[in-house]
Amino acid sequence: MRKLDILLIGVALLGAGGGAYFVLQGVSLDGQSAGLLSGTLLVVVLVVWTATYFTRVMTGSMSYHEQAEIYKTKAFEKQLNEMSPEELAQFQAELEAED
């Protein structure tokens, strides 16, 4: 995600919290109860969102990690495609010697 996406999501969450306040007032809750409930809902959503972020960090499924792995794979494939048959045979012999 880009920084702009994060900012837009943050603004949308704040707007949703404000919207929830007015909706709760519309269903006949007083201002204090509506504010408390909408604030609690906003905090729960932010905690869950943060937990998913930490989960992605711990599992290594972040965009950067995935892009780096794809880059490494493509670079290795390009290197293999550029090798002559003799170099490929030598490389394969080296790999078999390591096993």
Side-chain angles (χ1 to χ4, degrees), residues 24-72:
L24 290 171
Q25 274 191 326
V27 294
S28 71
L29 279 177
D30 63 282
Q32 186 175 5
S33 297
L36 184 60
L37 191 57
S38 64
T40 302
L41 182 64
L42 183 61
V43 168
V44 168
V45 167
L46 290 175
V47 167
V48 169
W49 184 27
T50 305
T52 62
Y53 174 77
F54 284 124
T55 302
R56 287 185 287 132
V57 168
M58 299 305 279
T59 60
S61 62
M62 300 290 291
S63 298
Y64 173 76
H65 297 296
E66 292 171 350
Q67 290 172 356
E69 287 300 317
I70 291 170
Y71 174 78
K72 289 176 189 176

Short mmCIF file of all heavy atoms in Angstrom, two decimals, residues 24-72:
data_model
loop_
_atom_site.label_atom_id
_atom_site.label_comp_id
_atom_site.label_asym_id
_atom_site.label_seq_id
_atom_site.Cartn_x
_atom_site.Cartn_y
_atom_site.Cartn_z
N LEU A 24 -26.19 6.51 15.33
CA LEU A 24 -26.61 6.07 16.66
C LEU A 24 -27.49 7.13 17.33
O LEU A 24 -28.43 6.79 18.05
CB LEU A 24 -25.39 5.77 17.53
CG LEU A 24 -24.60 4.51 17.12
CD1 LEU A 24 -23.30 4.42 17.88
CD2 LEU A 24 -25.45 3.27 17.34
N GLN A 25 -27.20 8.39 17.09
CA GLN A 25 -28.08 9.44 17.61
C GLN A 25 -29.44 9.36 16.93
O GLN A 25 -30.46 9.63 17.56
CB GLN A 25 -27.47 10.82 17.41
CG GLN A 25 -26.54 11.24 18.50
CD GLN A 25 -26.18 12.71 18.39
OE1 GLN A 25 -26.07 13.26 17.29
NE2 GLN A 25 -25.99 13.35 19.53
N GLY A 26 -29.43 9.00 15.65
CA GLY A 26 -30.67 8.89 14.91
C GLY A 26 -31.56 7.76 15.40
O GLY A 26 -32.78 7.80 15.21
N VAL A 27 -30.96 6.73 16.01
CA VAL A 27 -31.77 5.63 16.55
C VAL A 27 -32.04 5.84 18.04
O VAL A 27 -32.16 4.90 18.81
CB VAL A 27 -31.13 4.24 16.30
CG1 VAL A 27 -31.09 3.94 14.82
CG2 VAL A 27 -29.75 4.15 16.91
N SER A 28 -32.09 7.11 18.43
CA SER A 28 -32.52 7.58 19.75
C SER A 28 -31.54 7.26 20.88
O SER A 28 -31.98 7.02 22.01
CB SER A 28 -33.93 7.06 20.08
OG SER A 28 -33.91 5.67 20.33
N LEU A 29 -30.25 7.24 20.63
CA LEU A 29 -29.28 7.21 21.72
C LEU A 29 -28.89 8.64 22.04
O LEU A 29 -28.81 9.48 21.15
CB LEU A 29 -28.03 6.42 21.32
CG LEU A 29 -28.08 4.90 21.41
CD1 LEU A 29 -26.77 4.32 20.90
CD2 LEU A 29 -28.34 4.43 22.82
N ASP A 30 -28.62 8.93 23.31
CA ASP A 30 -28.19 10.29 23.65
C ASP A 30 -26.76 10.49 23.15
O ASP A 30 -26.05 9.53 22.81
CB ASP A 30 -28.28 10.51 25.17
CG ASP A 30 -27.36 9.60 25.96
OD1 ASP A 30 -27.70 8.41 26.13
OD2 ASP A 30 -26.30 10.09 26.38
N GLY A 31 -26.32 11.73 23.10
CA GLY A 31 -25.02 12.08 22.52
C GLY A 31 -23.85 11.39 23.20
O GLY A 31 -22.91 10.94 22.55
N GLN A 32 -23.90 11.29 24.53
CA GLN A 32 -22.79 10.68 25.25
C GLN A 32 -22.68 9.18 24.95
O GLN A 32 -21.61 8.66 24.67
CB GLN A 32 -22.95 10.90 26.74
CG GLN A 32 -21.75 10.42 27.55
CD GLN A 32 -21.90 10.75 29.02
OE1 GLN A 32 -22.92 11.25 29.47
NE2 GLN A 32 -20.85 10.46 29.78
N SER A 33 -23.80 8.48 24.95
CA SER A 33 -23.79 7.04 24.66
C SER A 33 -23.39 6.77 23.21
O SER A 33 -22.62 5.84 22.93
CB SER A 33 -25.17 6.43 24.92
OG SER A 33 -25.50 6.54 26.28
N ALA A 34 -23.89 7.60 22.31
CA ALA A 34 -23.55 7.44 20.89
C ALA A 34 -22.06 7.68 20.68
O ALA A 34 -21.40 6.94 19.93
CB ALA A 34 -24.38 8.39 20.03
N GLY A 35 -21.51 8.69 21.34
CA GLY A 35 -20.08 8.98 21.23
C GLY A 35 -19.23 7.87 21.80
O GLY A 35 -18.22 7.47 21.21
N LEU A 36 -19.62 7.34 22.93
CA LEU A 36 -18.88 6.26 23.56
C LEU A 36 -18.91 5.00 22.69
O LEU A 36 -17.88 4.36 22.46
CB LEU A 36 -19.46 5.96 24.95
CG LEU A 36 -18.74 4.91 25.77
CD1 LEU A 36 -17.30 5.32 26.03
CD2 LEU A 36 -19.46 4.68 27.08
N LEU A 37 -20.09 4.68 22.18
CA LEU A 37 -20.22 3.48 21.35
C LEU A 37 -19.48 3.62 20.02
O LEU A 37 -18.77 2.69 19.59
CB LEU A 37 -21.70 3.18 21.11
CG LEU A 37 -22.03 1.83 20.50
CD1 LEU A 37 -21.48 0.69 21.34
CD2 LEU A 37 -23.54 1.69 20.35
N SER A 38 -19.59 4.77 19.38
CA SER A 38 -18.89 4.95 18.10
C SER A 38 -17.37 5.00 18.31
O SER A 38 -16.60 4.47 17.51
CB SER A 38 -19.38 6.20 17.37
OG SER A 38 -19.08 7.36 18.10
N GLY A 39 -16.92 5.59 19.38
CA GLY A 39 -15.50 5.62 19.71
C GLY A 39 -14.96 4.23 19.98
O GLY A 39 -13.86 3.86 19.53
N THR A 40 -15.71 3.44 20.72
CA THR A 40 -15.31 2.06 21.01
C THR A 40 -15.24 1.25 19.73
O THR A 40 -14.29 0.49 19.52
CB THR A 40 -16.31 1.41 22.00
OG1 THR A 40 -16.36 2.20 23.19
CG2 THR A 40 -15.91 -0.01 22.32
N LEU A 41 -16.22 1.41 18.87
CA LEU A 41 -16.22 0.71 17.59
C LEU A 41 -15.01 1.10 16.75
O LEU A 41 -14.35 0.24 16.15
CB LEU A 41 -17.51 1.03 16.83
CG LEU A 41 -17.70 0.35 15.49
CD1 LEU A 41 -17.79 -1.16 15.67
CD2 LEU A 41 -18.95 0.88 14.81
N LEU A 42 -14.67 2.38 16.74
CA LEU A 42 -13.51 2.85 15.99
C LEU A 42 -12.21 2.25 16.54
O LEU A 42 -11.35 1.81 15.78
CB LEU A 42 -13.45 4.38 16.02
CG LEU A 42 -12.33 5.04 15.23
CD1 LEU A 42 -12.45 4.70 13.75
CD2 LEU A 42 -12.35 6.54 15.44
N VAL A 43 -12.08 2.20 17.85
CA VAL A 43 -10.87 1.63 18.46
C VAL A 43 -10.76 0.14 18.14
O VAL A 43 -9.68 -0.35 17.81
CB VAL A 43 -10.87 1.87 19.99
CG1 VAL A 43 -9.81 1.04 20.67
CG2 VAL A 43 -10.66 3.34 20.28
N VAL A 44 -11.88 -0.58 18.19
CA VAL A 44 -11.85 -2.01 17.86
C VAL A 44 -11.42 -2.22 16.42
O VAL A 44 -10.58 -3.09 16.13
CB VAL A 44 -13.24 -2.66 18.14
CG1 VAL A 44 -13.33 -4.04 17.55
CG2 VAL A 44 -13.50 -2.69 19.64
N VAL A 45 -11.94 -1.44 15.51
CA VAL A 45 -11.57 -1.56 14.10
C VAL A 45 -10.08 -1.28 13.92
O VAL A 45 -9.38 -2.01 13.20
CB VAL A 45 -12.43 -0.63 13.21
CG1 VAL A 45 -11.86 -0.51 11.81
CG2 VAL A 45 -13.86 -1.12 13.17
N LEU A 46 -9.56 -0.25 14.56
CA LEU A 46 -8.15 0.09 14.44
C LEU A 46 -7.24 -0.98 15.04
O LEU A 46 -6.18 -1.29 14.50
CB LEU A 46 -7.86 1.45 15.06
CG LEU A 46 -8.44 2.64 14.31
CD1 LEU A 46 -8.20 3.93 15.08
CD2 LEU A 46 -7.86 2.74 12.92
N VAL A 47 -7.65 -1.58 16.15
CA VAL A 47 -6.87 -2.65 16.77
C VAL A 47 -6.83 -3.87 15.85
O VAL A 47 -5.77 -4.49 15.64
CB VAL A 47 -7.42 -3.02 18.16
CG1 VAL A 47 -6.84 -4.32 18.68
CG2 VAL A 47 -7.13 -1.89 19.15
N VAL A 48 -7.96 -4.22 15.25
CA VAL A 48 -8.00 -5.36 14.33
C VAL A 48 -7.13 -5.07 13.10
O VAL A 48 -6.37 -5.93 12.65
CB VAL A 48 -9.46 -5.68 13.93
CG1 VAL A 48 -9.51 -6.67 12.78
CG2 VAL A 48 -10.22 -6.22 15.13
N TRP A 49 -7.22 -3.87 12.57
CA TRP A 49 -6.43 -3.49 11.41
C TRP A 49 -4.93 -3.58 11.73
O TRP A 49 -4.14 -4.10 10.95
CB TRP A 49 -6.82 -2.08 10.98
CG TRP A 49 -6.15 -1.58 9.74
CD1 TRP A 49 -5.66 -2.31 8.70
CD2 TRP A 49 -5.90 -0.22 9.40
NE1 TRP A 49 -5.14 -1.49 7.73
CE2 TRP A 49 -5.27 -0.20 8.13
CE3 TRP A 49 -6.17 0.99 10.04
CZ2 TRP A 49 -4.91 0.98 7.51
CZ3 TRP A 49 -5.81 2.16 9.40
CH2 TRP A 49 -5.18 2.15 8.16
N THR A 50 -4.53 -3.08 12.89
CA THR A 50 -3.14 -3.15 13.31
C THR A 50 -2.70 -4.59 13.50
O THR A 50 -1.57 -4.96 13.14
CB THR A 50 -2.93 -2.34 14.61
OG1 THR A 50 -3.40 -1.01 14.40
CG2 THR A 50 -1.48 -2.31 15.02
N ALA A 51 -3.57 -5.43 14.04
CA ALA A 51 -3.24 -6.84 14.23
C ALA A 51 -3.00 -7.54 12.89
O ALA A 51 -2.08 -8.36 12.77
CB ALA A 51 -4.35 -7.55 15.01
N THR A 52 -3.79 -7.20 11.89
CA THR A 52 -3.57 -7.81 10.57
C THR A 52 -2.23 -7.35 9.99
O THR A 52 -1.54 -8.13 9.34
CB THR A 52 -4.70 -7.47 9.58
OG1 THR A 52 -4.75 -6.06 9.37
CG2 THR A 52 -6.04 -7.98 10.07
N TYR A 53 -1.85 -6.11 10.26
CA TYR A 53 -0.56 -5.61 9.79
C TYR A 53 0.57 -6.40 10.43
O TYR A 53 1.49 -6.87 9.74
CB TYR A 53 -0.42 -4.12 10.11
CG TYR A 53 0.95 -3.58 9.77
CD1 TYR A 53 1.30 -3.29 8.46
CD2 TYR A 53 1.90 -3.38 10.76
CE1 TYR A 53 2.56 -2.81 8.14
CE2 TYR A 53 3.15 -2.89 10.46
CZ TYR A 53 3.48 -2.62 9.15
OH TYR A 53 4.72 -2.15 8.85
N PHE A 54 0.53 -6.55 11.75
CA PHE A 54 1.58 -7.30 12.43
C PHE A 54 1.61 -8.76 11.99
O PHE A 54 2.68 -9.36 11.89
CB PHE A 54 1.43 -7.19 13.95
CG PHE A 54 1.87 -5.86 14.49
CD1 PHE A 54 1.00 -5.10 15.25
CD2 PHE A 54 3.13 -5.37 14.24
CE1 PHE A 54 1.39 -3.87 15.75
CE2 PHE A 54 3.54 -4.14 14.72
CZ PHE A 54 2.66 -3.39 15.49
N THR A 55 0.46 -9.32 11.68
CA THR A 55 0.41 -10.70 11.18
C THR A 55 1.13 -10.79 9.83
O THR A 55 1.90 -11.72 9.60
CB THR A 55 -1.05 -11.17 11.04
OG1 THR A 55 -1.70 -11.06 12.31
CG2 THR A 55 -1.12 -12.59 10.55
N ARG A 56 0.88 -9.83 8.95
CA ARG A 56 1.56 -9.82 7.65
C ARG A 56 3.06 -9.64 7.81
O ARG A 56 3.86 -10.25 7.09
CB ARG A 56 0.99 -8.74 6.74
CG ARG A 56 -0.40 -9.10 6.22
CD ARG A 56 -0.92 -8.08 5.24
NE ARG A 56 -1.30 -6.86 5.96
CZ ARG A 56 -0.94 -5.64 5.60
NH1 ARG A 56 -0.22 -5.44 4.53
NH2 ARG A 56 -1.31 -4.59 6.30
N VAL A 57 3.48 -8.82 8.77
CA VAL A 57 4.92 -8.60 9.02
C VAL A 57 5.55 -9.90 9.51
O VAL A 57 6.61 -10.31 9.03
CB VAL A 57 5.14 -7.46 10.04
CG1 VAL A 57 6.58 -7.44 10.51
CG2 VAL A 57 4.75 -6.12 9.44
N MET A 58 4.91 -10.56 10.45
CA MET A 58 5.48 -11.77 11.04
C MET A 58 5.53 -12.93 10.04
O MET A 58 6.43 -13.76 10.11
CB MET A 58 4.70 -12.18 12.29
CG MET A 58 4.72 -11.12 13.38
SD MET A 58 6.37 -10.62 13.86
CE MET A 58 6.79 -11.94 14.94
N THR A 59 4.57 -13.02 9.14
CA THR A 59 4.55 -14.10 8.16
C THR A 59 5.35 -13.77 6.91
O THR A 59 5.54 -14.63 6.05
CB THR A 59 3.11 -14.46 7.75
OG1 THR A 59 2.48 -13.31 7.17
CG2 THR A 59 2.31 -14.95 8.94
N GLY A 60 5.81 -12.53 6.78
CA GLY A 60 6.60 -12.13 5.62
C GLY A 60 5.77 -11.97 4.36
O GLY A 60 6.30 -12.06 3.27
N SER A 61 4.50 -11.73 4.50
CA SER A 61 3.64 -11.58 3.32
C SER A 61 3.39 -10.11 2.99
O SER A 61 2.34 -9.75 2.48
CB SER A 61 2.32 -12.32 3.52
OG SER A 61 1.62 -11.78 4.61
N MET A 62 4.36 -9.28 3.29
CA MET A 62 4.25 -7.87 2.94
C MET A 62 4.55 -7.70 1.46
O MET A 62 5.26 -8.51 0.86
CB MET A 62 5.27 -7.05 3.75
CG MET A 62 5.09 -7.15 5.25
SD MET A 62 3.63 -6.32 5.82
CE MET A 62 4.07 -4.63 5.54
N SER A 63 4.06 -6.67 0.87
CA SER A 63 4.25 -6.41 -0.56
C SER A 63 5.73 -6.36 -0.92
O SER A 63 6.16 -6.92 -1.92
CB SER A 63 3.59 -5.10 -0.97
OG SER A 63 2.22 -5.16 -0.75
N TYR A 64 6.53 -5.69 -0.10
CA TYR A 64 7.95 -5.55 -0.39
C TYR A 64 8.64 -6.92 -0.45
O TYR A 64 9.42 -7.19 -1.36
CB TYR A 64 8.64 -4.66 0.64
CG TYR A 64 10.15 -4.64 0.46
CD1 TYR A 64 10.72 -3.90 -0.56
CD2 TYR A 64 10.98 -5.40 1.28
CE1 TYR A 64 12.09 -3.88 -0.76
CE2 TYR A 64 12.35 -5.39 1.09
CZ TYR A 64 12.89 -4.64 0.08
OH TYR A 64 14.24 -4.64 -0.12
N HIS A 65 8.35 -7.78 0.54
CA HIS A 65 8.98 -9.10 0.57
C HIS A 65 8.58 -9.92 -0.65
O HIS A 65 9.42 -10.60 -1.25
CB HIS A 65 8.58 -9.85 1.85
CG HIS A 65 9.05 -9.18 3.11
ND1 HIS A 65 10.38 -9.01 3.41
CD2 HIS A 65 8.36 -8.62 4.13
CE1 HIS A 65 10.50 -8.38 4.57
NE2 HIS A 65 9.28 -8.13 5.02
N GLU A 66 7.32 -9.86 -1.00
CA GLU A 66 6.84 -10.61 -2.16
C GLU A 66 7.49 -10.09 -3.45
O GLU A 66 7.91 -10.87 -4.30
CB GLU A 66 5.32 -10.54 -2.25
CG GLU A 66 4.63 -11.28 -1.11
CD GLU A 66 3.14 -11.03 -1.06
OE1 GLU A 66 2.64 -10.15 -1.77
OE2 GLU A 66 2.47 -11.73 -0.27
N GLN A 67 7.58 -8.78 -3.58
CA GLN A 67 8.19 -8.19 -4.77
C GLN A 67 9.68 -8.54 -4.85
O GLN A 67 10.21 -8.80 -5.93
CB GLN A 67 8.00 -6.68 -4.78
CG GLN A 67 6.57 -6.26 -5.03
CD GLN A 67 6.36 -4.78 -4.85
OE1 GLN A 67 7.27 -4.06 -4.46
NE2 GLN A 67 5.16 -4.30 -5.12
N ALA A 68 10.36 -8.55 -3.71
CA ALA A 68 11.78 -8.89 -3.70
C ALA A 68 11.99 -10.35 -4.12
O ALA A 68 12.93 -10.64 -4.88
CB ALA A 68 12.37 -8.65 -2.31
N GLU A 69 11.14 -11.24 -3.66
CA GLU A 69 11.25 -12.65 -4.05
C GLU A 69 10.99 -12.83 -5.54
O GLU A 69 11.70 -13.58 -6.21
CB GLU A 69 10.28 -13.50 -3.24
CG GLU A 69 10.69 -13.71 -1.80
CD GLU A 69 12.04 -14.39 -1.66
OE1 GLU A 69 12.30 -15.37 -2.40
OE2 GLU A 69 12.84 -13.94 -0.82
N ILE A 70 9.99 -12.15 -6.07
CA ILE A 70 9.70 -12.22 -7.51
C ILE A 70 10.89 -11.70 -8.30
O ILE A 70 11.29 -12.29 -9.31
CB ILE A 70 8.41 -11.45 -7.84
CG1 ILE A 70 7.19 -12.18 -7.25
CG2 ILE A 70 8.26 -11.25 -9.34
CD1 ILE A 70 5.91 -11.37 -7.32
N TYR A 71 11.48 -10.59 -7.85
CA TYR A 71 12.63 -10.02 -8.54
C TYR A 71 13.80 -11.00 -8.55
O TYR A 71 14.46 -11.20 -9.58
CB TYR A 71 13.05 -8.70 -7.88
CG TYR A 71 14.31 -8.13 -8.47
CD1 TYR A 71 14.29 -7.47 -9.69
CD2 TYR A 71 15.53 -8.29 -7.82
CE1 TYR A 71 15.46 -6.96 -10.24
CE2 TYR A 71 16.70 -7.79 -8.37
CZ TYR A 71 16.65 -7.13 -9.57
OH TYR A 71 17.80 -6.64 -10.12
N LYS A 72 14.09 -11.61 -7.40
CA LYS A 72 15.20 -12.56 -7.32
C LYS A 72 14.97 -13.75 -8.25
O LYS A 72 15.89 -14.20 -8.93
CB LYS A 72 15.37 -13.05 -5.88
CG LYS A 72 15.93 -12.01 -4.95
CD LYS A 72 15.98 -12.55 -3.53
CE LYS A 72 16.33 -11.48 -2.52
NZ LYS A 72 16.28 -11.98 -1.15
#
